């Protein structure tokens, strides 16, 4: 096969619709634009969201809500996840390798959900007050 012999598959390409080329084409006279009105005229069209002077929808509705773009860098794990993890020392890299937090995560926090019965040492991972108490009660420690 050479570059000069390559062709698109049969039926993949078709002729562009040529409007305003006579009555026989089916798209003559008004060329599919209907009769009169702004949309039928050359250069006559309105901007996106324009409703003919009526207050547009995006301005009628109240401004509400906000979703921080930094949320994707935060993650949380439960005490149950820590229990399942075999490592005695847990840091961000360990959690990423285990697939417990996304690769994008920069800040991880342990929440008090489930049980922890073995000592786990956390490095560079935050914890809620309840989770911290549970980790220390199991003989673990937290280091920032």
């Amino acid at each position: 096969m050479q570059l000069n012999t390559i062709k698109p598959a049969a039926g993949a390409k078709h002729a562009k619709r040529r409007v305003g080329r006579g009555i026989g084409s089916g798209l003559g006279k008004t060329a599919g634009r209907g009769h009169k009105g702004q949309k039928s005229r050359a250069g006559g069209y309105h901007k996106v969201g324009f409703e003919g002077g009526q207050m547009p929808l995006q301005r009628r509705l109240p401004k509400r809500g906000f979703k921080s773009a930094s949320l994707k860098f935060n993650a949380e794990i439960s005490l149950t996840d820590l229990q399942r993890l075999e490592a005695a020392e847990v840091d961000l890299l360990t959690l990423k390798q285990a697939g417990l937090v996304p690769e994008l995560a920069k800040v991880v926090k342990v929440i008090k959900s489930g049980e922890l019965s073995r000592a786990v040492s956390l490095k560079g991972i935050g914890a809620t007050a309840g989770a911290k108490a549970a980790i220390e009660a199991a003989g673990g420690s937290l280091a920032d």
Side-chain angles (χ1 to χ4, degrees), residues 30-140:
T30 56
R33 286 171 170 256
H35 292 277
K36 298 186 184 173
Q38 190 178 18
K39 288 200 242 182
S40 73
R41 320 239 181 240
Y45 212 65
H46 54 79
K47 63 184 176 191
V48 175
F50 185 69
E51 298 181 19
Q54 173 175 299
M55 186 62 71
L57 184 69
Q58 76 270 21
R59 291 190 59 199
R60 288 200 299 270
L61 298 175
K63 291 203 282 187
R64 196 184 133 79
F66 168 78
K67 189 164 183 181
S68 174
S70 65
L71 285 177
K72 62 183 169 219
F73 300 116
N74 299 340
E76 57 184 37
I77 58 165
S78 64
L79 291 174
T80 310
D81 294 332
L82 280 180
Q83 179 72 25
R84 281 200 215 107
L85 204 62
E86 265 121 57
E89 277 196 13
V90 178
D91 61 355
L92 190 57
L93 191 63
T94 314
L95 294 173
K96 284 181 182 179
Q97 286 169 345
L100 290 173
V101 296
E103 287 295 320
L104 282 175
K106 291 180 182 174
V107 179
V108 177
K109 202 169 201 180
V110 181
I111 57 169
K112 186 179 183 247
S113 171
E115 297 289 318
L116 183 65
S117 58
R118 60 184 192 84
V120 176
S121 169
L122 299 181
K123 288 195 172 21
I125 295 172
T128 61
K132 189 174 181 180
I135 291 165
E136 286 168 351

